[in-house]
């Protein structure tokens, strides 16, 4: 299985798009049964997702299913689907901390790894610190900037230029720390303006800089820029090796200089973490 840099949403009621999406270079597809599917098409979407998951999986693309929220009328039917045709992971919307993950895992025997969307309700924000309790059940942690404003009567989560407003910057930062506290990958949220590739690239690059290791996408045009942003560059890899070599050449040294800059324990940790991501990306 590849590392999770790009995760492309495909509406569950569009089987022809699922088929095509396999060849677009995304590391994962998120087959959506929730917000991108109209209520009148929920049943049809389940059938289409079931058929797609029942086919041979020799394509190397990780297949996730986003179910409807656990407190919705659709949850039971979605969970029944998951027990018959097993995806590689489950995206859990409107999650409110470890309690929501447990509520899913008790209802589904041998539950695949869960990727909660962890900031879609006001209460969810205050449960972010609990994900460490269920870290072993998680595939990562992601967040959303579309449902939260709707839930609190806000007009928007972004300013005219597309930049996140302060409440949503906070939700993003808390998700980043919550993911790392639970020792699972932090996955950036979608960039909705899919024609704005420059804006997407800047946003994904910022995410990689800040400690996210992947990002959700909504359109094929977003996949290549996301993969590029979340793939360590040749310079970053060379620098990481230089840091490790410097410490190996100076056993017992706590702090050293490399090209005129101080490096110590956190830099060594960063270098190891960066190199640890390489095999999952190139495999
Ligand atoms: N997955 C697979 N293929 C997709 C796709 C997706 N998410 N989005 C677009 N495409 C394909 C289209 O099938 C089309 O292929 P074609 O040229 O062979 O006909 C091509 O990419 C260009 O599509 P385009 O015309 O630019 O977009 P659209 O108007 O048809 O669709 C959206 C725009 C936003 C409706 C669509 O991208 C989409 O459904 N995205 C996912 C939405 C979603 O799941 N949201 C929930 C999470 S936030
Ligand atoms: Mg939503």
């Amino acid at each position: 299985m590849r590392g999770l840099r790009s995760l492309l949403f495909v509406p569950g009621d569009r089987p022809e798009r699922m088929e095509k999406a396999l060849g677009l270079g995304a590391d994962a597809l998120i087959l959506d049964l929730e917000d991108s599917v109209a209520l009148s098409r929920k049943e049809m979407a389940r059938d289409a997702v079931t058929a797609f998951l029942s086919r041979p999986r020799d394509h190397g693309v990780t297949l996730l299913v986003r179910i409807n929220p656990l407190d919705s009328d659709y949850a039971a039917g979605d969970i029944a689907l998951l027990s018959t045709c097993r995806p590689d992971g489950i995206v859990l919307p409107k999650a409110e901390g470890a309690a929501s993950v447990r509520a899913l895992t008790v209802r589904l025997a041998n539950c695949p790894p869960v990727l909660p969307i962890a900031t879609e309700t006001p209460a969810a924000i205050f449960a972010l610190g609990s994900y460490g309790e269920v870290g072993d059940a998680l595939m990562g942690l992601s967040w959303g900037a579309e449902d939260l404003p709707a839930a609190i009567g806000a007009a928007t989560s972004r300013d005219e230029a597309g930049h996140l407003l302060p409440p949503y910057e906070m939700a993003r930062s808390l998700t980043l720390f919550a993911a790392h506290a639970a020792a699972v990958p932090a996955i950036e949220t979608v960039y909705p303006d899919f024609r704005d590739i420059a804006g997407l690239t800047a946003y994904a690059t910022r995410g990689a800089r800040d400690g996210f290791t992947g990002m959700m996408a909504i359109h094929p045009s977003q996949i290549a820029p996301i993969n590029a942003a979340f793939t360590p560059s040749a310079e970053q890899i060379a620098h990481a090796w230089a840091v490790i070599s410097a410490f190996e050449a100076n056993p017992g040294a706590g702090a050293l200089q490399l090209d005129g800059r101080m490096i110590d324990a956190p830099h060594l940790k960063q270098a190891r973490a960066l190199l640890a991501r390489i095999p999952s990306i190139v495999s």
Side-chain angles (χ1 to χ4, degrees):
M1 201 180 286
R2 288 187 251 177
L4 292 185
R5 295 166 303 172
S6 52
L7 302 84
L8 176 67
F9 271 107
V10 189
D13 61 346
R14 305 298 297 269
E16 77 293 351
R17 291 197 170 191
M18 294 174 204
E19 182 63 42
K20 202 161 69 183
L22 283 175
L24 295 173
D27 293 326
L29 304 184
I30 303 175
L31 311 171
D32 188 24
L33 298 174
E34 199 214 7
D35 284 346
S36 71
V37 179
L39 298 187
S40 61
R41 289 169 68 90
K42 294 282 186 195
E43 201 63 47
M44 178 265 180
R46 274 188 204 137
D47 293 344
V49 167
T50 304
F52 188 69
L53 286 171
S54 308
R55 299 183 17 200
R57 306 232 194 121
D58 48 3
H59 41 65
V61 180
T62 299
L63 298 182
L64 313 181
V65 172
R66 180 166 75 170
I67 61 173
N68 286 281
L70 290 175
D71 61 0
S72 74
D73 293 342
Y74 300 96
D78 291 353
I79 291 171
L81 172 160
L82 297 169
S83 56
T84 54
C85 52
R86 307 189 60 77
D88 300 310
I90 300 173
V91 176
L92 183 63
K94 318 289 189 295
E96 294 181 338
S100 295
V101 176
R102 286 196 195 98
L104 172 62
T105 55
V106 298
R107 289 171 72 173
L108 182 62
N110 301 316
C111 185
V114 182
L115 176 61
I117 315 268
T119 66
E120 294 194 305
T121 71
I125 302 297
F126 299 96
L128 280 164
S130 66
Y131 283 104
E133 297 167 24
V134 292
D136 288 348
L138 302 182
M139 177 175 258
L141 203 61
S142 193
W143 73 288
E146 318 308 316
D147 288 84
L148 190 54
I152 65 173
T156 176
S157 56
R158 294 181 172 83
D159 67 15
E160 295 73 20
H163 299 128
L164 291 167
L165 293 166
Y168 310 95
E169 280 292 354
M170 191 188 70
R172 172 183 179 272
S173 299
L174 289 174
T175 304
L176 178 66
F177 291 121
H180 287 282
V184 299
I187 305 294
E188 256 289 12
T189 196
V190 297
Y191 188 82
D193 186 356
F194 62 83
R195 307 244 182 262
D196 177 15
I197 296 300
L200 164 83
T201 301
Y203 187 81
T205 302
R206 186 179 81 125
R209 181 199 67 194
D210 289 350
F212 290 90
T213 50
M215 177 166 165
M216 301 187 296
I218 52 165
H219 191 275
S221 64
Q222 298 184 322
I223 295 169
I226 289 176
N227 284 347
F230 290 97
T231 301
S233 68
E235 292 76 25
Q236 286 174 309
I237 294 169
H239 178 74
W241 279 121
V243 170
I244 287 170
S245 304
F247 279 101
E248 280 178 355
N250 295 277
L256 293 167
Q257 70 97 6
L258 183 64
D259 301 331
R261 285 174 181 249
M262 188 275 288
I263 54 170
D264 63 2
H267 301 93
L268 183 58
K269 186 173 179 182
Q270 264 174 335
R272 287 187 177 136
L274 184 126
L275 294 175
R277 284 169 45 209
I278 310 291
S280 66
I281 290 170
V282 295
S283 70

